[in-house]
Amino acid sequence: MLSKQGKNLNITVLGLGYVGLSTALVLAYLGHQVTGLDIDSSKIEMLKRGTIPLFEPNLETLMSRVQERVVWSSDNHISIPHADFIFLCVQTPVLEGGQSDLTFVEQVVSAIALNLQGRTQIMVNKSTVPVGTGKRIKSLLERKAGRTLADRCQVVANPEFLSEGSALIDSLYPHRMVLGGEIEVLRKMLELYAPIIQQTFEPLDFVVCPSGYTQPEVIETTLESAEMTKYAANAFLALKISYANEMANLCEHVGADILDVMAGVGADRRIGPHFLAAGAGWGGSCLGKDTRALVKLAEVYDCPLPIISAAIAVNYQQRIKVVELLERHLKDLKGKRVALLGLSFKPHTDDLRDSPAHDFIADITNRGGRVIAHDPVAMKRANTEWNHLDYLSANSVEEALQDADACIIATDWPEYVALDWDRVVTSMKSPILIDARNIIRRRLKSPIILEQIGRKVLGEANYPQVKP
Ligand code: UGA
């Protein structure tokens, strides 16, 4: 079934979000015949026209290079029965109470069960799922397809660690690969991933290998440990961010600068410099969802996770703090015009899920203010997904800042980092900047009020009198 070179296998990818699309295109690039399935037919139509239905750097370019090896469809029958590998990449949203919603996983497993024909197949789960789901997938298959057919379909847990905005770099140059399952089936996974593990694939001219990168560490383990690794990794990233924010809040009181403090802390190799940027805290579809799901999972076993629970609380408190900083300077937000720069939860994506900007808009309007928002790529998506929020859209940073009483920088887009802030603040009614991502790194010449998170070093000398 498998060629040693990892070529010419039939691969089906179910669920075409960031993870599914990246997986499908990278496997096609490695030479396999890939079918990408999704129940959303509008997404499939877009893909067939050569358009990626989300904003992710370079995915569209890769798609144009591999199109002869990829088929997009909503019809499970066309590929599942012939697939050597079936990748599950569906979303696992969070339920009201914080638990993972496995409806989509169950739906695709049922669809797979209906299409099993006795061929030896490997089902690779990349969706983030509570520990124990791999085993449950196996029993669901048995229930739906019968033991004989289900026994030919082996289950592997292969959590995905890519970040939005760098999906292709993370897929081609991953730091680690975690593979959970029976030893024999893991060997087949190692063959499939050999070009990436050994870094023998032809590099793409538009995806730059991170400097110093050599090859991924491969961790072979059980289904449960692989599933647990995904949650534990995201929880640790969340902890680092909340830790940095907690330290930042104390820095403000004691007159220390969080940037210098975290540079000093992160220079210790045991800690590392990443994910120590204080600011508005984490957003996105993963860290918030996965930390809550982990806490819920632990409750089932009566095993509280106080550190993770505290990290969650610190994160969402940080959003309130940003609006309170604004209010401290404006005194009363009623009728005030607030420019909001950045809607996406982080740069290089138009993903708005759990974005701090969402809560800023809601909080500011609740307090009587008016928001005029700008984002380099996420405005279109916000206009459809944030219908419930009340804000105006600006076509440029300049338009957002014109006559604004204050500005919040919510996302660290490179465009905002590179702005000539001395120039752009001149059109504001009162130059109050709440830099919730600490992107302004040099003292501005203009008289402004600058608030940053965990640092007072740039603002103090420049404080003008705010007109009532
Ligand atoms: C995260 C993990 O980083 C990935 O490894 C994981 O695969 C993914 O979740 C997932 O589970 O699918 P992602 O949600 O794309 O990736 O975004 P991150 O790059 O982790 O950023 C999350 C949030 O934290 C952003 O809002 C970012 O602005 C914020 N952040 C990040 C900070 O506030 N400080 C930092 O130092 C770093």
Side-chain angles (χ1 to χ4, degrees):
M1 158 193 167
L2 286 162
S3 87
K4 279 267 182 282
Q5 295 73 34
K7 300 273 183 207
N8 303 325
L9 295 166
N10 281 320
I11 293 177
T12 290
V13 177
L14 283 144
L16 299 174
Y18 293 89
V19 172
L21 275 175
S22 309
T23 304
L25 294 173
V26 165
L27 289 170
Y29 181 64
L30 296 182
H32 304 295
Q33 193 59 47
V34 178
T35 305
L37 299 175
D38 200 291
I39 48 169
D40 182 345
S41 51
S42 61
K43 198 183 262 187
I44 296 298
E45 287 315 311
M46 279 182 86
L47 288 163
K48 282 182 176 166
R49 289 197 301 272
T51 310
I52 293 283
L54 42 87
F55 181 88
E56 180 61 40
N58 297 320
L59 273 191
E60 213 158 88
T61 316
L62 179 57
M63 182 159 79
S64 66
R65 300 249 179 123
V66 299
Q67 56 193 359
E68 73 284 2
R69 285 196 294 280
V70 190
V71 171
W72 308 110
S73 176
S74 290
D75 181 1
N76 295 328
H77 307 285
I78 71 160
S79 68
I80 294 176
H82 327 287
D84 300 308
F85 287 84
I86 304 169
F87 280 78
L88 267 61
C89 301
V90 293
Q91 69 272 45
T92 47
V94 68
L95 291 168
E96 208 47 24
Q99 305 95 325
S100 284
D101 178 358
L102 292 177
T103 312
F104 295 108
V105 173
E106 284 163 9
Q107 270 172 12
V108 292
V109 173
S110 301
I112 293 167
L114 281 177
N115 286 284
L116 293 183
Q117 292 184 355
R119 182 188 169 90
T120 302
Q121 294 179 305
I122 297 175
M123 195 195 290
V124 187
N125 182 38
K126 279 195 164 286
S127 302
T128 302
V129 291
V131 183
T133 304
K135 289 234 167 87
R136 282 204 290 280
I137 288 177
K138 190 82 199 165
S139 39
L140 184 59
L141 273 181
E142 266 179 35
R143 261 205 331 273
K144 300 263 174 184
R147 182 129 198 204
T148 320
L149 283 180
D151 273 353
R152 309 221 61 182
C153 191
Q154 294 153 302
V155 179
V156 174
N158 173 211
E160 180 54 65
F161 298 105
L162 68 77
S163 293
E164 289 178 27
S166 58
L168 274 187
I169 299 175
D170 297 343
S171 302
L172 292 168
Y173 306 107
H175 291 288
R176 81 288 214 190
M177 273 184 188
V178 175
L179 300 167
E182 303 289 332
I183 291 173
E184 199 186 308
V185 70
L186 294 194
R187 203 170 308 128
K188 293 175 183 168
M189 290 300 297
L190 295 178
E191 283 176 20
L192 177 73
Y193 282 140
I196 291 178
I197 295 171
Q198 289 150 21
Q199 289 290 298
T200 50
F201 63 88
E202 187 68 31
L204 283 162
D205 49 342
F206 54 90
V207 182
V208 181
C209 175
S211 79
Y213 181 84
T214 49
Q215 61 187 115
E217 191 159 325
V218 178
I219 293 117
E220 293 171 61
T221 182
T222 60
L223 281 174
E224 289 78 9
S225 299
E227 290 166 347
M228 184 68 194
T229 306
K230 172 68 189 182
Y231 280 109
N234 273 0
F236 192 69
L237 294 174
L239 282 182
K240 284 187 96 174
I241 298 170
S242 282
Y243 156 79
N245 281 328
E246 204 165 77
M247 291 300 119
N249 293 340
L250 184 57
C251 280
E252 287 169 14
H253 291 286
V254 300
D257 179 354
I258 191 68
L259 291 185
D260 292 346
V261 173
M262 285 302 128
V265 170
D268 183 331
R269 284 190 184 185
R270 294 169 301 175
I271 298 173
H274 307 288
F275 274 67
L276 293 177
W282 78 68
S285 63
C286 308
L287 299 192
K289 169 176 78 76
D290 293 352
T291 43
R292 282 172 73 197
L294 195 59
V295 168
K296 277 289 152 193
L297 179 73
E299 274 174 16
V300 173
Y301 299 97
D302 201 13
C303 171
L305 303 180
I307 304 177
I308 313 293
S309 302
I312 298 171
V314 167
N315 190 62
Y316 293 96
Q317 185 56 39
Q318 205 65 8
R319 298 182 182 185
I320 299 168
K321 175 199 161 108
V322 170
V323 179
E324 283 175 354
L325 273 175
L326 182 74
E327 200 168 49
R328 192 185 304 161
H329 289 287
L330 290 175
K331 312 289 183 250
D332 185 355
L333 291 190
K334 279 200 193 75
K336 296 283 164 42
R337 182 180 165 99
V338 180
L340 180 65
L341 300 188
L343 297 182
S344 58
F345 79 100
K346 67 173 189 179
H348 310 292
T349 177
D350 65 348
D351 196 335
L352 298 167
R353 286 174 288 179
D354 196 18
S355 178
H358 176 279
D359 292 8
F360 295 157
I361 298 175
D363 199 355
I364 292 166
T365 48
N366 271 344
R367 294 175 197 232
R370 287 175 302 129
V371 173
I372 174 142
H374 174 265
D375 189 284
V377 301
M379 296 306 299
K380 197 164 152 232
R381 201 157 162 183
N383 289 342
T384 50
E385 290 181 18
W386 285 0
N387 276 331
H388 55 286
L389 291 179
D390 190 10
Y391 65 93
L392 295 169
S393 303
N395 292 317
S396 64
V397 175
E398 285 76 7
E399 190 184 330
L401 291 176
Q402 184 72 44
D403 296 326
D405 291 287
C407 165
I408 295 181
I409 303 165
T411 314
D412 41 343
W413 278 102
E415 287 88 331
Y416 301 154
V417 177
L419 267 183
D420 178 355
W421 283 98
D422 277 313
R423 181 181 64 78
V424 293
V425 295
T426 53
S427 69
M428 294 176 73
K429 193 164 161 202
S430 49
I432 300 170
L433 293 184
I434 313 293
D435 175 9
R437 292 292 178 186
N438 289 347
I439 64 168
I440 298 177
R441 295 295 170 91
R442 60 174 186 83
R443 196 176 290 278
L444 302 185
K445 291 184 210 103
S446 333
I448 58 156
I449 290 177
L450 175 64
E451 285 285 0
Q452 297 189 297
I453 308 297
R455 55 194 321 246
K456 295 277 185 200
V457 283
L458 294 182
E460 272 165 358
N462 282 347
Y463 278 19
Q465 288 294 311
V466 183
K467 291 173 216 112

